[in-house]
Amino acid sequence: MPGDDHREEGDSFPERTNLVADEGGVRTDGGSAAGADDVALDPWGSATVSNYRNLFEEFGIEEFDHILDEVPNPHYLMRRGVIFGHRDYSAVAERLREGGDAAVLSGFMPTGDPHIGHKMVFDEIIWHQKQGADAYGLIADLEAHAARGLSWAEIDEHSRDYLLSLLALGFDPEEGELYRQSTNREVQDLAFELGAKANFSEFEAIYGFDGETDVSHMQSVVTQMADILYPQLDEPKPTVIPVGPDQDPHVRLARDLAARMRFFKVTEAFASFEATPAERSLMREAYEALGGADADVRCEAAADHLRADHAGEVGAEGAIEKLANAGKEPLRPRIRFLDRNATSEAFDALIAAVDGEKRVFDEHVDAFDLTHDEAEELAREVEVDNGGYGFYPPSSIYHRFMTGLTGGKMSSSVPASHISLLDDPEEGYDKVKAATTGGRETAEEQRRLGGKADECPVYELYAYLLAGDDDEFATEVYEECVGGERLCGGCKEQAAELMEEFLADHQEKREEMEEVLDEVDIELESPRRRG
Ligand code: TRP
Ligand code: SF4
């Protein structure tokens, strides 16, 4: 199967390890000291990350590599480690593999021209759409107005450009949906509901907002939360949000809000009282040690067991106290449905729907014959049947930021550092020709030592864009470079020509898409007052 081929190519792809390993922090460190503690993730700050590894350790983003195998027909950005991290992407990958409902959504602030960094996200949306996911692209006009101070006229102009490029790259507007935040009433309504579950202290902690922060800026945050959950309004489904890691604070908040909206929380328990995860794992331990399902295990006996064998461990003190207080109550593993926001009808419906042995309390129901997954599914079904949303926590995937062509970071305010999708093809050619490279001082040295492809923005252009789906070509450039067979002059000439061709082709397609865009149901002229 083609899937297998891809894996093999992915596995032997040399620069993937270099891109992912990143221990020395060479290229992706963007020149700053390796290991520097510059890991604040700020959605409105400058988009640099000094050390991608810290994102795993400090923020709990997971390594994409670990789940690459689960993805059918993975995109080249996945195979090459450009998409380096994720949250909960397995839920989406499973649907892509097995054919259930899934969605993809990302948003763009129309603050300037769309550039080759945005192209990565456009490609990610389009790829998911081609794999069968419901696809959404949105213009974050409220955010651009509130957080960046753009006028509506500027926003209208740039919005068109983003949409044309997304269409030109292959987004199917008949299958997918394009919208702008300001005119999507459903998004606004959902934002309002979500706003009831978040408060200012939290915004302060997450985003560093303070007494000077505009109310509209805060509103743009709840709007983004609504964007992220919007694909689940008709029906809950695993949804992936492809973004840069600077957006991770938004993703985490959206995952929290999705959970806070749920009618029921499904957890595990061992007796009538609540316990922390650490306490629960000790209780499981005691339960098994004392004979498990075959024995009649009592809480007080479990307390004794923990006192004897687990004193001092994390959670032991709490577990022992709770178990001792419960005395002769039987200790038995069970699934617990906690009532979070359920209406009384929904709570009754849940009780009726739980099969097998169950015990009903004021604010929870314990089920003895359900697995965790069955319980999750049941909780969602009852919620949706009773007028709730039943949201899945949204998933995310994170891509690396491209290095600027002039070294340092790619910045929209430094035209030479990036290539706009609207640049004249000749201008694109010139920018590539003028780019910084990872080459040596002299040709002789380059032949002897090889070039430093891992530190070369031109190599990045090949890997992120110019080589397209052709892993062999990207590998060849890499190996020829580090092997000293490739010299920068010729290499840049080739890249510049490919860039010129890409831009010419892309712009031709953009023109063809003008008509298509006219047919799309989206307001291209803001109905708002100027200013
Ligand atoms: N905040 C994003 C940015 O800075 C734009 C955005 C708005 C977005 N809503 C979104 C991104 C939903 C992903 C999903 O560019
Ligand atoms: Fe970069 Fe190409 Fe020079 Fe290697 S040969 S350092 S990839 S420009």
Side-chain angles (χ1 to χ4, degrees), residues 43 105-109 138 140 143 181 224 227-228 241 243 247 250:
L105 170 141
S106 198
F108 306 92
M109 265 207 274
L138 71 99
E143 185 182 359
Q181 289 175 325
Q224 177 156 352
D227 289 332
I228 291 174
I241 313 298
V243 277
Q247 298 291 304
H250 288 310

Side-chain angles (χ1 to χ4, degrees), residues 177-419:
E177 181 175 340
L178 300 171
Y179 71 87
R180 57 191 294 167
Q181 289 175 325
S182 63
T183 57
N184 190 327
R185 178 66 208 225
E186 281 179 295
V187 163
Q188 291 306 313
D189 288 348
L190 179 57
F192 185 83
E193 300 296 330
L194 295 170
K197 298 279 178 205
N199 64 38
F200 179 65
S201 305
E202 206 172 4
F203 280 17
E204 243 179 323
I206 300 174
Y207 302 111
F209 286 178
D210 60 23
E212 305 297 306
T213 307
D214 288 358
V215 174
S216 298
H217 193 169
M218 296 187 222
Q219 208 180 331
S220 79
V221 172
V222 285
T223 303
Q224 177 156 352
M225 296 304 109
D227 289 332
I228 291 174
L229 295 169
Y230 178 65
Q232 301 195 58
L233 271 188
D234 277 347
E235 215 184 329
K237 57 181 80 70
T239 302
V240 60
I241 313 298
V243 277
D246 60 312
Q247 298 291 304
D248 186 55
H250 288 310
V251 171
R252 270 180 289 158
L253 178 58
R255 289 173 61 80
D256 274 354
L257 292 178
R260 285 178 213 163
M261 297 294 281
R262 296 298 307 277
F263 280 12
F264 308 104
K265 178 179 166 141
V266 177
T267 63
E268 277 153 46
F270 284 87
S272 54
F273 52 82
E274 291 301 313
T276 65
E279 292 167 353
R280 283 206 296 268
S281 89
L282 286 169
M283 289 180 203
R284 169 159 308 278
E285 162 79 41
Y287 175 74
E288 303 293 349
L290 295 173
D294 301 328
D296 176 18
V297 184
R298 300 294 163 124
C299 288
E300 58 188 11
D304 290 341
H305 173 81
L306 292 183
R307 261 189 221 109
D309 285 10
H310 296 273
E313 290 180 22
V314 183
E317 204 184 326
I320 291 167
E321 194 191 327
K322 288 173 185 175
L323 289 165
N325 285 341
K328 295 217 175 325
E329 189 187 330
L331 185 74
R332 277 177 73 196
R334 66 199 68 187
I335 294 292
R336 175 162 297 167
F337 297 86
L338 289 166
D339 181 351
R340 286 196 134 175
N341 298 295
T343 55
S344 56
E345 292 77 30
F347 193 65
D348 291 343
L350 178 75
I351 295 166
V354 172
D355 278 337
E357 190 185 342
K358 59 189 146 189
R359 206 152 293 165
V360 178
F361 300 81
D362 270 0
E363 294 193 346
H364 67 263
V365 182
D366 284 356
F368 293 85
D369 301 322
L370 289 181
T371 64
H372 199 111
D373 286 353
E374 286 165 349
E376 283 286 0
E377 200 176 316
L378 186 67
R380 179 167 287 115
E381 205 176 282
V382 169
E383 180 175 339
V384 170
D385 285 349
N386 285 275
Y389 297 106
F391 291 134
Y392 283 85
S395 310
S396 54
I397 51 177
Y398 302 111
H399 58 76
R400 285 167 188 272
F401 295 118
M402 284 174 113
T403 310
L405 296 175
T406 44
K409 78 181 190 97
M410 194 173 268
S411 157
S412 345
S413 52
V414 183
S417 77
H418 73 279
I419 291 175

Side-chain angles (χ1 to χ4, degrees), residues 104-119:
V104 58
L105 170 141
S106 198
F108 306 92
M109 265 207 274
T111 50
D113 288 355
H115 56 64
I116 53 178
H118 297 113
K119 177 185 178 285

